[in-house]
Amino acid sequence: MERAMRQTQLPDGTSVPVLGQGTWMMGDEPGRRDAEIAALREGIELGMTLLDTAEIYGNGRSEQLVAEAIDGRRDEIFLVSKVAPGNASRQGTIRACEASLRRLGTDRLDLYLLHWRGSVPLAETVAALETLKESGKILRWGVSNFDVDDMEELAAAGGAAVQTDQVLYNPSERGIEYDLLPMLTEQGVPVMAYSPIGQGGDLLEDAALTRIAERHGATPARVALAFVLRQPGIIAIPKASSVDHVRDNAAALELTLDAKDMAELDAAFPPPRFKQPLAII
């Protein structure tokens, strides 16, 4: 049985873990497959039962990896996948979802996201998502890489049922704090933070993160995650390809940053003072 995990609520009242697992670039290398599956399973044991994937990750290989990792435990998992904007037409969204379900070996997704905006009108994608929800193939839906104006357009397109906005957020990418995060917080829509410990490892070599980590007997990755999770209404989905990395991520929930820590982080990574373009990887 997995360990209890701090939860937050989606707008429909569903409780989800504040710390989940991302799978971008997992499943790409056959030689790493066993280690990646072991990492995902360890995360589940530690209560990180929200698993995020997407049809474009490895052209479906990430979804297939997730299917193997959760085999026999589907009902314990809050399963998230995403439709690519090129597939986000009325019928294309339904076909893409059905293909994801086949790769994931399941009959439903707990949450299905539009990966980013494309040329398909939002109202058309929303209609497809609602059709999928009515059929039980998805239980709820949300978006990814949507800025304030996108969220406003979504609302105007009938998107009142949106459950989350998955965006890039970490100590070095704080632009959402200026306007998007306050807006979503007011609406009760959690932010799902991808790449919360950065991409490529550069952030983990930062001097401020290292100093804070040393003071707490922690790691820079734990500090970055504690920063992201320091306020309610945020879900972090770091990727971890090894059991040790997963355990380190889980330990971030036991780390509370104090005023000195936050002052150092604000000095190293100043909070936004004006509107910034939404950062996307």
Side-chain angles (χ1 to χ4, degrees):
M1 180 65 69
E2 70 269 7
R3 187 184 304 177
M5 165 72 67
R6 198 168 89 219
Q7 307 275 306
T8 193
Q9 278 199 332
L10 300 179
D12 71 355
T14 302
S15 293
V16 295
V18 299
L19 186 59
Q21 302 185 78
T23 61
W24 184 29
M25 296 189 293
M26 293 179 74
D28 289 348
E29 296 291 337
R32 296 205 307 258
R33 188 176 186 85
D34 289 348
E36 290 172 343
I37 289 172
L40 290 172
R41 289 176 175 167
E42 178 69 10
I44 293 168
E45 294 295 332
L46 294 172
M48 299 160 66
T49 53
L50 187 154
L51 270 62
D52 175 86
T53 185
E55 65 174 347
I56 69 166
Y57 294 171
N59 292 319
R61 289 188 297 273
S62 171
E63 290 178 325
Q64 292 168 338
L65 181 85
V66 169
E68 188 171 346
I70 68 173
D71 186 37
R73 305 189 69 171
R74 173 65 184 92
D75 291 344
E76 302 171 49
I77 306 302
F78 189 90
L79 189 57
V80 186
S81 194
K82 310 181 197 71
V83 57
N87 292 332
S89 66
R90 182 70 181 257
Q91 293 305 317
T93 301
I94 294 170
R95 286 193 298 269
C97 179
E98 290 171 345
S100 286
L101 291 174
R102 286 192 295 272
R103 287 188 292 269
L104 286 161
T106 186
D107 61 352
R108 83 265 182 212
L109 290 169
D110 296 287
L111 179 64
Y112 197 38
L113 309 180
L114 173 59
H115 209 150
W116 66 91
R117 285 198 67 175
S119 59
V120 177
L122 287 177
E124 184 174 344
T125 306
V126 168
L129 293 167
E130 288 293 337
T131 297
L132 285 166
K133 192 164 73 168
E134 289 166 9
S135 70
K137 291 177 181 176
I138 67 173
L139 303 187
R140 54 194 67 80
W141 61 265
V143 294
S144 180
N145 296 308
F146 270 44
D147 206 346
V148 169
D149 56 344
D150 301 311
M151 293 301 293
E152 291 170 347
E153 288 184 47
L154 180 68
V162 64
Q163 298 296 305
T164 191
D165 185 11
Q166 184 180 122
V167 294
L168 176 64
Y169 183 49
N170 59 51
S172 67
E173 296 289 356
R174 300 180 63 173
I176 67 167
E177 293 178 7
Y178 183 77
D179 52 357
L180 180 61
L181 181 55
M183 181 187 82
L184 293 173
T185 299
E186 183 178 350
Q187 295 175 356
V189 177
V191 162
M192 192 176 291
Y194 71 79
S195 295
I197 57 178
Q199 188 68 26
D202 291 346
L203 183 60
L204 302 185
E205 298 174 3
D206 176 77
L209 284 171
T210 301
R211 282 195 307 272
I212 295 167
E214 289 174 351
R215 279 205 301 271
H216 289 278
T219 63
R222 264 187 252 172
V223 174
L225 275 174
F227 168 88
V228 169
L229 294 171
R230 73 192 186 282
Q231 51 193 325
I234 294 184
I235 303 158
I237 49 168
K239 183 196 79 169
S241 298
S242 72
V243 167
D244 286 346
H245 189 179
V246 169
R247 290 172 179 164
D248 190 57
N249 287 345
L253 290 166
E254 301 166 10
L255 174 59
T256 300
L257 301 177
D258 59 27
K260 180 181 179 181
D261 300 329
M262 286 305 304
E264 285 191 42
L265 287 169
D266 286 345
F269 308 105
R273 297 178 181 172
F274 50 84
K275 170 69 180 174
Q276 299 179 7
L278 185 68
I280 295 175
I281 295 179

